[in-house]
Amino acid sequence: MPTSEQIRATIGQYVECFSTADKDGWIQLFSADARVEDPVGEDAHVGADAIAAFWDVSRTLADAITLVPTGPVRVAGVEAAFPMKAVTSIGDDKLVVDIIDVMTFDDEARITSNRAFWDPAEIRPYEG
Amino acid sequence: MPTSEQIRATIGQYVECFSTADKDGWIQLFSADARVEDPVGEDAHVGADAIAAFWDVSRTLADAITLVPTGPVRVAGVEAAFPMKAVTSIGDDKLVVDIIDVMTFDDEARITSNRAFWDPAEIRPYEG
């Protein structure tokens, strides 16, 4: 069972790699058979190849995506949830949406599941 | 399928009823067969009677418990997640812990499942 500190470290790397467009570093945070549902309610991306393809699609339109944590990580057992804003830059425009990610972890604190709670209807211009 | 507005209304009532110790109002927000896991990783309380008993136990030690939302509700499909602090008053002492609740809803926007992400080790004195 991963420790709370290991889970927090993985989440810290997740935010860092995502925001610096470090795709390889980001993919390595997941287990081989991980499941990503983003947003919750859509079909899941299962396995490293599908998750890598999902990364590529999400970057097609965006010049940059920055995750900004808006509160502490809540760890409970081998799961965790944390709140953030995602700021997407497209040319000179910036958009923002509020997200809560809910993750499960394996014994090495790799992500086995991520469920991202957000609503496309809530995307709005980012005021800075 | 409940609307985003209906889900937000239920969560608003949930926070209000919990914080004003309105047990009956709070219980009515759940479906008859609802499942509460609080914190995540512990045994679930299933059904209205078990959830009512869980309420009673949580109030045994506390004179008051106030939920303070710390960010917007994220609705995704028929589910939602939201961040808060829970402030517990015991005599002259106040304790606080950070929580994220993750809920699912039925067609009438009643809560069918609540999973509360928090860590008992993170409870600390409330500084106001």
Side-chain angles (χ1 to χ4, degrees):
Chain A
M1 182 169 156
T3 65
S4 175
E5 289 70 25
Q6 289 172 316
I7 288 174
R8 290 171 194 278
T10 296
I11 291 174
Q13 289 180 279
Y14 179 94
V15 169
E16 177 72 16
C17 289
F18 198 93
S19 298
T20 57
D22 178 2
K23 178 181 171 183
D24 290 344
W26 185 78
I27 291 288
Q28 289 172 18
L29 298 172
F30 292 88
S31 67
D33 58 351
R35 185 178 184 284
V36 171
E37 194 180 337
D38 187 352
V40 165
E42 297 294 318
D43 289 342
H45 311 279
V46 182
D49 289 350
I51 293 171
F54 172 65
W55 168 288
D56 291 339
V57 169
S58 74
R59 302 282 159 161
T60 306
L61 294 172
D63 296 315
I65 309 176
T66 304
L67 303 182
V68 183
T70 57
V73 174
R74 280 76 156 176
V75 178
V78 296
E79 304 187 45
F82 62 101
M84 71 189 108
K85 293 180 188 296
V87 179
T88 299
S89 300
I90 304 171
D92 290 338
D93 294 323
K94 287 190 177 184
L95 300 171
V96 65
V97 70
D98 298 294
I99 305 177
I100 287 176
D101 273 4
V102 178
M103 297 179 171
T104 60
F105 300 86
D106 67 12
D107 284 347
E108 281 75 45
R110 284 174 306 210
I111 301 161
T112 54
S113 167
N114 182 30
R115 306 187 74 227
F117 285 77
W118 61 281
D119 182 349
E122 299 282 324
I123 297 172
R124 59 194 186 276
Y126 181 60
E127 307 296 347
Chain B
M1 182 171 159
T3 66
S4 175
E5 289 69 25
Q6 289 172 316
I7 288 173
R8 289 171 194 279
T10 296
I11 291 173
Q13 291 180 278
Y14 179 94
V15 169
E16 177 73 15
C17 290
F18 197 95
S19 298
T20 57
D22 178 1
K23 178 182 171 182
D24 290 344
W26 185 77
I27 291 288
Q28 288 171 19
L29 298 172
F30 292 88
S31 67
D33 57 350
R35 184 178 185 284
V36 170
E37 194 179 338
D38 186 353
V40 165
E42 296 294 318
D43 289 342
H45 311 280
V46 182
D49 289 350
I51 293 171
F54 173 64
W55 168 288
D56 291 340
V57 168
S58 74
R59 301 283 159 161
T60 306
L61 293 172
D63 296 315
I65 310 175
T66 305
L67 304 182
V68 183
T70 57
V73 174
R74 280 76 155 176
V75 178
V78 296
E79 304 186 44
F82 61 101
M84 71 189 109
K85 293 180 190 295
V87 180
T88 299
S89 300
I90 305 170
D92 290 339
D93 294 324
K94 288 190 176 184
L95 300 171
V96 64
V97 70
D98 298 294
I99 304 177
I100 286 177
D101 273 4
V102 178
M103 297 179 171
T104 60
F105 299 87
D106 68 11
D107 284 347
E108 281 76 44
R110 284 174 305 211
I111 302 161
T112 53
S113 167
N114 182 30
R115 305 187 75 227
F117 285 77
W118 61 282
D119 182 349
E122 298 282 326
I123 297 172
R124 59 195 186 277
Y126 182 58
E127 306 296 347

